[in-house]
Every structure is written in C-alpha cells, then in structure tokens.
PDB file of all heavy atoms in Angstrom:
ATOM      1  N   GLY J  22      -1.340  21.386  10.497  1.00  0.00           N
ATOM      2  CA  GLY J  22      -0.576  20.323  11.141  1.00  0.00           C
ATOM      3  C   GLY J  22      -0.625  19.019  10.366  1.00  0.00           C
ATOM      4  O   GLY J  22       0.250  18.156  10.527  1.00  0.00           O
ATOM      5  N   LEU J  23      -1.655  18.856   9.498  1.00  0.00           N
ATOM      6  CA  LEU J  23      -1.764  17.631   8.716  1.00  0.00           C
ATOM      7  C   LEU J  23      -0.664  17.516   7.677  1.00  0.00           C
ATOM      8  O   LEU J  23      -0.305  16.411   7.259  1.00  0.00           O
ATOM      9  CB  LEU J  23      -3.145  17.570   8.048  1.00  0.00           C
ATOM     10  CG  LEU J  23      -4.319  17.437   9.035  1.00  0.00           C
ATOM     11  CD1 LEU J  23      -5.637  17.637   8.310  1.00  0.00           C
ATOM     12  CD2 LEU J  23      -4.286  16.076   9.717  1.00  0.00           C
ATOM     13  N   ALA J  24      -0.117  18.664   7.250  1.00  0.00           N
ATOM     14  CA  ALA J  24       1.015  18.615   6.319  1.00  0.00           C
ATOM     15  C   ALA J  24       2.220  17.961   6.993  1.00  0.00           C
ATOM     16  O   ALA J  24       2.960  17.183   6.384  1.00  0.00           O
ATOM     17  CB  ALA J  24       1.360  20.021   5.839  1.00  0.00           C
ATOM     18  N   LEU J  25       2.398  18.275   8.281  1.00  0.00           N
ATOM     19  CA  LEU J  25       3.471  17.634   9.034  1.00  0.00           C
ATOM     20  C   LEU J  25       3.187  16.149   9.212  1.00  0.00           C
ATOM     21  O   LEU J  25       4.102  15.317   9.165  1.00  0.00           O
ATOM     22  CB  LEU J  25       3.627  18.313  10.400  1.00  0.00           C
ATOM     23  CG  LEU J  25       3.991  19.804  10.378  1.00  0.00           C
ATOM     24  CD1 LEU J  25       4.045  20.352  11.803  1.00  0.00           C
ATOM     25  CD2 LEU J  25       5.334  20.002   9.667  1.00  0.00           C
ATOM     26  N   TRP J  26       1.917  15.821   9.431  1.00  0.00           N
ATOM     27  CA  TRP J  26       1.532  14.412   9.568  1.00  0.00           C
ATOM     28  C   TRP J  26       1.874  13.656   8.286  1.00  0.00           C
ATOM     29  O   TRP J  26       2.437  12.562   8.331  1.00  0.00           O
ATOM     30  CB  TRP J  26       0.036  14.324   9.859  1.00  0.00           C
ATOM     31  CG  TRP J  26      -0.451  12.956  10.270  1.00  0.00           C
ATOM     32  CD1 TRP J  26      -0.617  12.498  11.532  1.00  0.00           C
ATOM     33  CD2 TRP J  26      -0.834  11.882   9.399  1.00  0.00           C
ATOM     34  NE1 TRP J  26      -1.075  11.204  11.527  1.00  0.00           N
ATOM     35  CE2 TRP J  26      -1.216  10.798  10.224  1.00  0.00           C
ATOM     36  CE3 TRP J  26      -0.883  11.718   8.016  1.00  0.00           C
ATOM     37  CZ2 TRP J  26      -1.651   9.573   9.715  1.00  0.00           C
ATOM     38  CZ3 TRP J  26      -1.304  10.496   7.500  1.00  0.00           C
ATOM     39  CH2 TRP J  26      -1.687   9.444   8.342  1.00  0.00           C
ATOM     40  N   ASN J  27       1.547  14.250   7.145  1.00  0.00           N
ATOM     41  CA  ASN J  27       1.863  13.601   5.874  1.00  0.00           C
ATOM     42  C   ASN J  27       3.369  13.421   5.706  1.00  0.00           C
ATOM     43  O   ASN J  27       3.838  12.383   5.222  1.00  0.00           O
ATOM     44  CB  ASN J  27       1.313  14.423   4.707  1.00  0.00           C
ATOM     45  CG  ASN J  27      -0.199  14.287   4.571  1.00  0.00           C
ATOM     46  OD1 ASN J  27      -0.812  13.427   5.189  1.00  0.00           O
ATOM     47  ND2 ASN J  27      -0.793  15.151   3.756  1.00  0.00           N
ATOM     48  N   PHE J  28       4.112  14.436   6.099  1.00  0.00           N
ATOM     49  CA  PHE J  28       5.563  14.362   5.966  1.00  0.00           C
ATOM     50  C   PHE J  28       6.118  13.197   6.791  1.00  0.00           C
ATOM     51  O   PHE J  28       7.031  12.490   6.360  1.00  0.00           O
ATOM     52  CB  PHE J  28       6.208  15.674   6.421  1.00  0.00           C
ATOM     53  CG  PHE J  28       7.712  15.664   6.375  1.00  0.00           C
ATOM     54  CD1 PHE J  28       8.382  15.830   5.162  1.00  0.00           C
ATOM     55  CD2 PHE J  28       8.456  15.460   7.526  1.00  0.00           C
ATOM     56  CE1 PHE J  28       9.774  15.798   5.113  1.00  0.00           C
ATOM     57  CE2 PHE J  28       9.839  15.434   7.492  1.00  0.00           C
ATOM     58  CZ  PHE J  28      10.509  15.601   6.272  1.00  0.00           C
ATOM     59  N   ALA J  29       5.536  12.988   7.968  1.00  0.00           N
ATOM     60  CA  ALA J  29       6.043  11.962   8.866  1.00  0.00           C
ATOM     61  C   ALA J  29       5.563  10.559   8.511  1.00  0.00           C
ATOM     62  O   ALA J  29       6.309   9.584   8.664  1.00  0.00           O
ATOM     63  CB  ALA J  29       5.651  12.289  10.304  1.00  0.00           C
ATOM     64  N   PHE J  30       4.329  10.452   7.994  1.00  0.00           N
ATOM     65  CA  PHE J  30       3.736   9.117   7.905  1.00  0.00           C
ATOM     66  C   PHE J  30       3.270   8.696   6.516  1.00  0.00           C
ATOM     67  O   PHE J  30       3.020   7.511   6.298  1.00  0.00           O
ATOM     68  CB  PHE J  30       2.541   9.020   8.861  1.00  0.00           C
ATOM     69  CG  PHE J  30       2.879   9.302  10.288  1.00  0.00           C
ATOM     70  CD1 PHE J  30       2.324  10.396  10.948  1.00  0.00           C
ATOM     71  CD2 PHE J  30       3.767   8.490  10.984  1.00  0.00           C
ATOM     72  CE1 PHE J  30       2.634  10.660  12.271  1.00  0.00           C
ATOM     73  CE2 PHE J  30       4.077   8.748  12.308  1.00  0.00           C
ATOM     74  CZ  PHE J  30       3.519   9.832  12.950  1.00  0.00           C
ATOM     75  N   LEU J  31       3.128   9.615   5.586  1.00  0.00           N
ATOM     76  CA  LEU J  31       2.563   9.248   4.285  1.00  0.00           C
ATOM     77  C   LEU J  31       3.629   8.695   3.349  1.00  0.00           C
ATOM     78  O   LEU J  31       4.640   9.334   3.097  1.00  0.00           O
ATOM     79  CB  LEU J  31       1.887  10.459   3.634  1.00  0.00           C
ATOM     80  CG  LEU J  31       1.301  10.218   2.232  1.00  0.00           C
ATOM     81  CD1 LEU J  31       0.215   9.144   2.283  1.00  0.00           C
ATOM     82  CD2 LEU J  31       0.759  11.514   1.647  1.00  0.00           C
ATOM     83  N   ASP J  32       3.376   7.494   2.854  1.00  0.00           N
ATOM     84  CA  ASP J  32       4.229   6.870   1.842  1.00  0.00           C
ATOM     85  C   ASP J  32       3.444   6.860   0.537  1.00  0.00           C
ATOM     86  O   ASP J  32       2.467   6.125   0.392  1.00  0.00           O
ATOM     87  CB  ASP J  32       4.597   5.450   2.262  1.00  0.00           C
ATOM     88  CG  ASP J  32       5.475   4.740   1.225  1.00  0.00           C
ATOM     89  OD1 ASP J  32       5.851   5.382   0.218  1.00  0.00           O
ATOM     90  OD2 ASP J  32       5.770   3.554   1.428  1.00  0.00           O
ATOM     91  N   LYS J  33       3.862   7.686  -0.431  1.00  0.00           N
ATOM     92  CA  LYS J  33       3.130   7.822  -1.691  1.00  0.00           C
ATOM     93  C   LYS J  33       3.538   6.782  -2.729  1.00  0.00           C
ATOM     94  O   LYS J  33       3.082   6.820  -3.867  1.00  0.00           O
ATOM     95  CB  LYS J  33       3.334   9.230  -2.255  1.00  0.00           C
ATOM     96  CG  LYS J  33       2.703  10.312  -1.392  1.00  0.00           C
ATOM     97  CD  LYS J  33       2.871  11.684  -2.004  1.00  0.00           C
ATOM     98  CE  LYS J  33       4.311  12.185  -1.865  1.00  0.00           C
ATOM     99  NZ  LYS J  33       4.446  13.582  -2.344  1.00  0.00           N
ATOM    100  N   GLN J  34       4.376   5.853  -2.329  1.00  0.00           N
ATOM    101  CA  GLN J  34       4.850   4.832  -3.254  1.00  0.00           C
ATOM    102  C   GLN J  34       3.708   3.888  -3.627  1.00  0.00           C
ATOM    103  O   GLN J  34       3.083   3.284  -2.762  1.00  0.00           O
ATOM    104  CB  GLN J  34       5.976   4.026  -2.599  1.00  0.00           C
ATOM    105  CG  GLN J  34       6.523   2.888  -3.437  1.00  0.00           C
ATOM    106  CD  GLN J  34       7.337   3.383  -4.632  1.00  0.00           C
ATOM    107  OE1 GLN J  34       7.860   4.490  -4.625  1.00  0.00           O
ATOM    108  NE2 GLN J  34       7.426   2.570  -5.658  1.00  0.00           N
ATOM    109  N   PRO J  35       3.374   3.743  -4.924  1.00  0.00           N
ATOM    110  CA  PRO J  35       2.331   2.791  -5.329  1.00  0.00           C
ATOM    111  C   PRO J  35       2.717   1.364  -4.961  1.00  0.00           C
ATOM    112  O   PRO J  35       3.876   1.063  -4.688  1.00  0.00           O
ATOM    113  CB  PRO J  35       2.255   2.973  -6.850  1.00  0.00           C
ATOM    114  CG  PRO J  35       2.825   4.324  -7.103  1.00  0.00           C
ATOM    115  CD  PRO J  35       3.886   4.518  -6.070  1.00  0.00           C
ATOM    116  N   PHE J  36       1.740   0.507  -4.962  1.00  0.00           N
ATOM    117  CA  PHE J  36       1.959  -0.892  -4.599  1.00  0.00           C
ATOM    118  C   PHE J  36       2.991  -1.532  -5.521  1.00  0.00           C
ATOM    119  O   PHE J  36       2.951  -1.368  -6.739  1.00  0.00           O
ATOM    120  CB  PHE J  36       0.646  -1.667  -4.685  1.00  0.00           C
ATOM    121  CG  PHE J  36       0.790  -3.138  -4.429  1.00  0.00           C
ATOM    122  CD1 PHE J  36       0.843  -3.614  -3.131  1.00  0.00           C
ATOM    123  CD2 PHE J  36       0.882  -4.042  -5.488  1.00  0.00           C
ATOM    124  CE1 PHE J  36       0.982  -4.980  -2.881  1.00  0.00           C
ATOM    125  CE2 PHE J  36       1.017  -5.403  -5.249  1.00  0.00           C
ATOM    126  CZ  PHE J  36       1.067  -5.868  -3.935  1.00  0.00           C
ATOM    127  N   GLN J  37       3.905  -2.261  -4.923  1.00  0.00           N
ATOM    128  CA  GLN J  37       4.913  -2.996  -5.669  1.00  0.00           C
ATOM    129  C   GLN J  37       4.713  -4.483  -5.428  1.00  0.00           C
ATOM    130  O   GLN J  37       4.697  -4.940  -4.282  1.00  0.00           O
ATOM    131  CB  GLN J  37       6.324  -2.584  -5.217  1.00  0.00           C
ATOM    132  CG  GLN J  37       6.662  -1.126  -5.477  1.00  0.00           C
ATOM    133  CD  GLN J  37       6.733  -0.813  -6.962  1.00  0.00           C
ATOM    134  OE1 GLN J  37       7.275  -1.600  -7.748  1.00  0.00           O
ATOM    135  NE2 GLN J  37       6.197   0.344  -7.348  1.00  0.00           N
ATOM    136  N   ALA J  38       4.541  -5.224  -6.493  1.00  0.00           N
ATOM    137  CA  ALA J  38       4.357  -6.669  -6.368  1.00  0.00           C
ATOM    138  C   ALA J  38       5.612  -7.315  -5.797  1.00  0.00           C
ATOM    139  O   ALA J  38       6.739  -6.891  -6.079  1.00  0.00           O
ATOM    140  CB  ALA J  38       4.024  -7.279  -7.724  1.00  0.00           C
ATOM    141  N   ASP J  39       5.398  -8.328  -4.976  1.00  0.00           N
ATOM    142  CA  ASP J  39       6.495  -9.085  -4.382  1.00  0.00           C
ATOM    143  C   ASP J  39       6.828 -10.240  -5.309  1.00  0.00           C
ATOM    144  O   ASP J  39       5.990 -11.121  -5.539  1.00  0.00           O
ATOM    145  CB  ASP J  39       6.070  -9.605  -3.004  1.00  0.00           C
ATOM    146  CG  ASP J  39       7.193 -10.310  -2.272  1.00  0.00           C
ATOM    147  OD1 ASP J  39       8.196 -10.681  -2.912  1.00  0.00           O
ATOM    148  OD2 ASP J  39       7.056 -10.510  -1.048  1.00  0.00           O
ATOM    149  N   PRO J  40       8.044 -10.271  -5.860  1.00  0.00           N
ATOM    150  CA  PRO J  40       8.390 -11.347  -6.801  1.00  0.00           C
ATOM    151  C   PRO J  40       8.346 -12.730  -6.169  1.00  0.00           C
ATOM    152  O   PRO J  40       8.270 -13.737  -6.893  1.00  0.00           O
ATOM    153  CB  PRO J  40       9.811 -10.977  -7.248  1.00  0.00           C
ATOM    154  CG  PRO J  40      10.327 -10.054  -6.192  1.00  0.00           C
ATOM    155  CD  PRO J  40       9.148  -9.322  -5.686  1.00  0.00           C
ATOM    156  N   ALA J  41       8.379 -12.804  -4.844  1.00  0.00           N
ATOM    157  CA  ALA J  41       8.326 -14.103  -4.181  1.00  0.00           C
ATOM    158  C   ALA J  41       6.896 -14.639  -4.094  1.00  0.00           C
ATOM    159  O   ALA J  41       6.687 -15.789  -3.701  1.00  0.00           O
ATOM    160  CB  ALA J  41       8.916 -13.995  -2.772  1.00  0.00           C
ATOM    161  N   ARG J  42       5.912 -13.812  -4.447  1.00  0.00           N
ATOM    162  CA  ARG J  42       4.515 -14.235  -4.399  1.00  0.00           C
ATOM    163  C   ARG J  42       3.981 -14.445  -5.803  1.00  0.00           C
ATOM    164  O   ARG J  42       4.400 -13.767  -6.749  1.00  0.00           O
ATOM    165  CB  ARG J  42       3.659 -13.180  -3.690  1.00  0.00           C
ATOM    166  CG  ARG J  42       3.927 -13.046  -2.194  1.00  0.00           C
ATOM    167  CD  ARG J  42       3.225 -11.836  -1.629  1.00  0.00           C
ATOM    168  NE  ARG J  42       3.273 -11.816  -0.173  1.00  0.00           N
ATOM    169  CZ  ARG J  42       3.152 -10.729   0.563  1.00  0.00           C
ATOM    170  NH1 ARG J  42       2.955  -9.540  -0.022  1.00  0.00           N
ATOM    171  NH2 ARG J  42       3.212 -10.796   1.874  1.00  0.00           N
ATOM    172  N   ASP J  43       3.026 -15.359  -5.946  1.00  0.00           N
ATOM    173  CA  ASP J  43       2.426 -15.546  -7.259  1.00  0.00           C
ATOM    174  C   ASP J  43       1.457 -14.401  -7.538  1.00  0.00           C
ATOM    175  O   ASP J  43       1.168 -13.559  -6.678  1.00  0.00           O
ATOM    176  CB  ASP J  43       1.742 -16.907  -7.367  1.00  0.00           C
ATOM    177  CG  ASP J  43       0.611 -17.105  -6.359  1.00  0.00           C
ATOM    178  OD1 ASP J  43       0.025 -16.108  -5.905  1.00  0.00           O
ATOM    179  OD2 ASP J  43       0.316 -18.266  -6.020  1.00  0.00           O
ATOM    180  N   GLU J  44       0.928 -14.373  -8.742  1.00  0.00           N
ATOM    181  CA  GLU J  44       0.094 -13.246  -9.164  1.00  0.00           C
ATOM    182  C   GLU J  44      -1.179 -13.092  -8.333  1.00  0.00           C
ATOM    183  O   GLU J  44      -1.507 -11.979  -7.895  1.00  0.00           O
ATOM    184  CB  GLU J  44      -0.266 -13.397 -10.647  1.00  0.00           C
ATOM    185  CG  GLU J  44      -1.047 -12.205 -11.206  1.00  0.00           C
ATOM    186  CD  GLU J  44      -1.300 -12.331 -12.704  1.00  0.00           C
ATOM    187  OE1 GLU J  44      -0.637 -13.165 -13.355  1.00  0.00           O
ATOM    188  OE2 GLU J  44      -2.156 -11.590 -13.203  1.00  0.00           O
ATOM    189  N   PRO J  45      -1.922 -14.183  -8.055  1.00  0.00           N
ATOM    190  CA  PRO J  45      -3.117 -14.015  -7.221  1.00  0.00           C
ATOM    191  C   PRO J  45      -2.789 -13.512  -5.814  1.00  0.00           C
ATOM    192  O   PRO J  45      -3.541 -12.708  -5.248  1.00  0.00           O
ATOM    193  CB  PRO J  45      -3.722 -15.428  -7.177  1.00  0.00           C
ATOM    194  CG  PRO J  45      -3.220 -16.093  -8.409  1.00  0.00           C
ATOM    195  CD  PRO J  45      -1.838 -15.554  -8.609  1.00  0.00           C
ATOM    196  N   LEU J  46      -1.682 -13.966  -5.234  1.00  0.00           N
ATOM    197  CA  LEU J  46      -1.322 -13.517  -3.891  1.00  0.00           C
ATOM    198  C   LEU J  46      -0.968 -12.032  -3.896  1.00  0.00           C
ATOM    199  O   LEU J  46      -1.318 -11.290  -2.979  1.00  0.00           O
ATOM    200  CB  LEU J  46      -0.161 -14.352  -3.357  1.00  0.00           C
ATOM    201  CG  LEU J  46      -0.016 -14.427  -1.829  1.00  0.00           C
ATOM    202  CD1 LEU J  46      -1.285 -14.976  -1.195  1.00  0.00           C
ATOM    203  CD2 LEU J  46       1.170 -15.295  -1.451  1.00  0.00           C
ATOM    204  N   ASN J  47      -0.279 -11.594  -4.941  1.00  0.00           N
ATOM    205  CA  ASN J  47       0.013 -10.163  -5.071  1.00  0.00           C
ATOM    206  C   ASN J  47      -1.265  -9.362  -5.293  1.00  0.00           C
ATOM    207  O   ASN J  47      -1.404  -8.251  -4.778  1.00  0.00           O
ATOM    208  CB  ASN J  47       0.998  -9.927  -6.220  1.00  0.00           C
ATOM    209  CG  ASN J  47       2.443 -10.041  -5.777  1.00  0.00           C
ATOM    210  OD1 ASN J  47       2.848  -9.451  -4.775  1.00  0.00           O
ATOM    211  ND2 ASN J  47       3.240 -10.795  -6.527  1.00  0.00           N
ATOM    212  N   ARG J  48      -2.199  -9.928  -6.039  1.00  0.00           N
ATOM    213  CA  ARG J  48      -3.480  -9.258  -6.236  1.00  0.00           C
ATOM    214  C   ARG J  48      -4.196  -9.093  -4.893  1.00  0.00           C
ATOM    215  O   ARG J  48      -4.732  -8.018  -4.577  1.00  0.00           O
ATOM    216  CB  ARG J  48      -4.356 -10.063  -7.197  1.00  0.00           C
ATOM    217  CG  ARG J  48      -5.797  -9.561  -7.355  1.00  0.00           C
ATOM    218  CD  ARG J  48      -5.876  -8.224  -8.044  1.00  0.00           C
ATOM    219  NE  ARG J  48      -7.265  -7.850  -8.294  1.00  0.00           N
ATOM    220  CZ  ARG J  48      -7.660  -6.667  -8.764  1.00  0.00           C
ATOM    221  NH1 ARG J  48      -6.751  -5.727  -9.039  1.00  0.00           N
ATOM    222  NH2 ARG J  48      -8.931  -6.408  -8.982  1.00  0.00           N
ATOM    223  N   GLY J  49      -4.183 -10.134  -4.072  1.00  0.00           N
ATOM    224  CA  GLY J  49      -4.795 -10.047  -2.759  1.00  0.00           C
ATOM    225  C   GLY J  49      -4.138  -8.991  -1.896  1.00  0.00           C
ATOM    226  O   GLY J  49      -4.816  -8.214  -1.205  1.00  0.00           O
ATOM    227  N   ALA J  50      -2.791  -8.941  -1.932  1.00  0.00           N
ATOM    228  CA  ALA J  50      -2.067  -7.937  -1.149  1.00  0.00           C
ATOM    229  C   ALA J  50      -2.413  -6.534  -1.632  1.00  0.00           C
ATOM    230  O   ALA J  50      -2.609  -5.612  -0.818  1.00  0.00           O
ATOM    231  CB  ALA J  50      -0.569  -8.190  -1.252  1.00  0.00           C
ATOM    232  N   TYR J  51      -2.520  -6.343  -2.933  1.00  0.00           N
ATOM    233  CA  TYR J  51      -2.869  -5.035  -3.501  1.00  0.00           C
ATOM    234  C   TYR J  51      -4.257  -4.588  -3.035  1.00  0.00           C
ATOM    235  O   TYR J  51      -4.457  -3.436  -2.628  1.00  0.00           O
ATOM    236  CB  TYR J  51      -2.826  -5.117  -5.024  1.00  0.00           C
ATOM    237  CG  TYR J  51      -3.417  -3.921  -5.737  1.00  0.00           C
ATOM    238  CD1 TYR J  51      -2.780  -2.678  -5.731  1.00  0.00           C
ATOM    239  CD2 TYR J  51      -4.627  -4.031  -6.426  1.00  0.00           C
ATOM    240  CE1 TYR J  51      -3.326  -1.579  -6.385  1.00  0.00           C
ATOM    241  CE2 TYR J  51      -5.183  -2.943  -7.089  1.00  0.00           C
ATOM    242  CZ  TYR J  51      -4.537  -1.715  -7.057  1.00  0.00           C
ATOM    243  OH  TYR J  51      -5.088  -0.634  -7.707  1.00  0.00           O
ATOM    244  N   LEU J  52      -5.209  -5.507  -3.076  1.00  0.00           N
ATOM    245  CA  LEU J  52      -6.571  -5.147  -2.688  1.00  0.00           C
ATOM    246  C   LEU J  52      -6.676  -4.865  -1.192  1.00  0.00           C
ATOM    247  O   LEU J  52      -7.356  -3.916  -0.775  1.00  0.00           O
ATOM    248  CB  LEU J  52      -7.533  -6.275  -3.074  1.00  0.00           C
ATOM    249  CG  LEU J  52      -7.721  -6.500  -4.577  1.00  0.00           C
ATOM    250  CD1 LEU J  52      -8.566  -7.739  -4.828  1.00  0.00           C
ATOM    251  CD2 LEU J  52      -8.347  -5.283  -5.248  1.00  0.00           C
ATOM    252  N   VAL J  53      -6.022  -5.655  -0.375  1.00  0.00           N
ATOM    253  CA  VAL J  53      -6.097  -5.481   1.073  1.00  0.00           C
ATOM    254  C   VAL J  53      -5.374  -4.210   1.508  1.00  0.00           C
ATOM    255  O   VAL J  53      -5.882  -3.412   2.294  1.00  0.00           O
ATOM    256  CB  VAL J  53      -5.520  -6.706   1.800  1.00  0.00           C
ATOM    257  CG1 VAL J  53      -5.356  -6.435   3.296  1.00  0.00           C
ATOM    258  CG2 VAL J  53      -6.419  -7.918   1.583  1.00  0.00           C
ATOM    259  N   GLN J  54      -4.182  -4.010   0.985  1.00  0.00           N
ATOM    260  CA  GLN J  54      -3.366  -2.871   1.403  1.00  0.00           C
ATOM    261  C   GLN J  54      -3.835  -1.564   0.782  1.00  0.00           C
ATOM    262  O   GLN J  54      -3.680  -0.494   1.370  1.00  0.00           O
ATOM    263  CB  GLN J  54      -1.907  -3.106   1.026  1.00  0.00           C
ATOM    264  CG  GLN J  54      -1.256  -4.275   1.741  1.00  0.00           C
ATOM    265  CD  GLN J  54       0.150  -4.556   1.236  1.00  0.00           C
ATOM    266  OE1 GLN J  54       0.802  -3.692   0.634  1.00  0.00           O
ATOM    267  NE2 GLN J  54       0.628  -5.772   1.457  1.00  0.00           N
ATOM    268  N   GLY J  55      -4.406  -1.647  -0.425  1.00  0.00           N
ATOM    269  CA  GLY J  55      -4.781  -0.447  -1.155  1.00  0.00           C
ATOM    270  C   GLY J  55      -6.268  -0.160  -1.131  1.00  0.00           C
ATOM    271  O   GLY J  55      -6.797   0.418  -0.178  1.00  0.00           O
ATOM    272  N   LEU J  56      -6.965  -0.584  -2.192  1.00  0.00           N
ATOM    273  CA  LEU J  56      -8.381  -0.246  -2.316  1.00  0.00           C
ATOM    274  C   LEU J  56      -9.217  -0.707  -1.127  1.00  0.00           C
ATOM    275  O   LEU J  56     -10.094   0.012  -0.648  1.00  0.00           O
ATOM    276  CB  LEU J  56      -8.932  -0.859  -3.609  1.00  0.00           C
ATOM    277  CG  LEU J  56      -8.665  -0.042  -4.872  1.00  0.00           C
ATOM    278  CD1 LEU J  56      -8.850  -0.893  -6.113  1.00  0.00           C
ATOM    279  CD2 LEU J  56      -9.589   1.163  -4.908  1.00  0.00           C
ATOM    280  N   GLY J  57      -8.944  -1.900  -0.614  1.00  0.00           N
ATOM    281  CA  GLY J  57      -9.733  -2.411   0.503  1.00  0.00           C
ATOM    282  C   GLY J  57      -9.478  -1.672   1.800  1.00  0.00           C
ATOM    283  O   GLY J  57     -10.302  -1.732   2.721  1.00  0.00           O
ATOM    284  N   HIS J  58      -8.332  -0.989   1.890  1.00  0.00           N
ATOM    285  CA  HIS J  58      -7.907  -0.227   3.072  1.00  0.00           C
ATOM    286  C   HIS J  58      -8.279  -0.927   4.377  1.00  0.00           C
ATOM    287  O   HIS J  58      -8.757  -0.313   5.331  1.00  0.00           O
ATOM    288  CB  HIS J  58      -8.456   1.213   3.044  1.00  0.00           C
ATOM    289  CG  HIS J  58      -9.952   1.344   2.939  1.00  0.00           C
ATOM    290  ND1 HIS J  58     -10.626   1.299   1.755  1.00  0.00           N
ATOM    291  CD2 HIS J  58     -10.902   1.526   3.888  1.00  0.00           C
ATOM    292  CE1 HIS J  58     -11.917   1.450   1.956  1.00  0.00           C
ATOM    293  NE2 HIS J  58     -12.107   1.595   3.274  1.00  0.00           N
ATOM    294  N   CYS J  59      -8.022  -2.232   4.423  1.00  0.00           N
ATOM    295  CA  CYS J  59      -8.384  -3.027   5.603  1.00  0.00           C
ATOM    296  C   CYS J  59      -7.657  -2.537   6.847  1.00  0.00           C
ATOM    297  O   CYS J  59      -8.188  -2.599   7.958  1.00  0.00           O
ATOM    298  CB  CYS J  59      -8.064  -4.501   5.369  1.00  0.00           C
ATOM    299  SG  CYS J  59      -8.874  -5.200   3.910  1.00  0.00           S
ATOM    300  N   GLY J  60      -6.435  -2.040   6.653  1.00  0.00           N
ATOM    301  CA  GLY J  60      -5.667  -1.570   7.791  1.00  0.00           C
ATOM    302  C   GLY J  60      -6.268  -0.373   8.485  1.00  0.00           C
ATOM    303  O   GLY J  60      -5.951  -0.103   9.654  1.00  0.00           O
ATOM    304  N   SER J  61      -7.150   0.362   7.820  1.00  0.00           N
ATOM    305  CA  SER J  61      -7.762   1.543   8.444  1.00  0.00           C
ATOM    306  C   SER J  61      -8.483   1.188   9.734  1.00  0.00           C
ATOM    307  O   SER J  61      -8.552   2.006  10.656  1.00  0.00           O
ATOM    308  CB  SER J  61      -8.754   2.198   7.475  1.00  0.00           C
ATOM    309  OG  SER J  61      -8.088   2.731   6.358  1.00  0.00           O
TER     310      SER J  61
END
C-alpha cells in the first residue's frame, strides 16, 4: 500500500531555488524543507 501512498503524495522533484529570494534565504529554505526535514 505504500507504493500507492508514494504515487499520491511523493514529490521527487529536487529543491528549486526561488529567484525572488536571495542566496542565504534559499539556503535556509533548502535546509528546512530538505535535510532538516522540519516539516516531519
């Protein structure tokens, strides 16, 4: 059933920097959303 879960909810797209943000802000977003997995 986890394969179905992945199909429904998994986004495999790597982090994309937001051009409206400066480099440090994008770095913070990358760490929080990715490696830091704060949303977990």
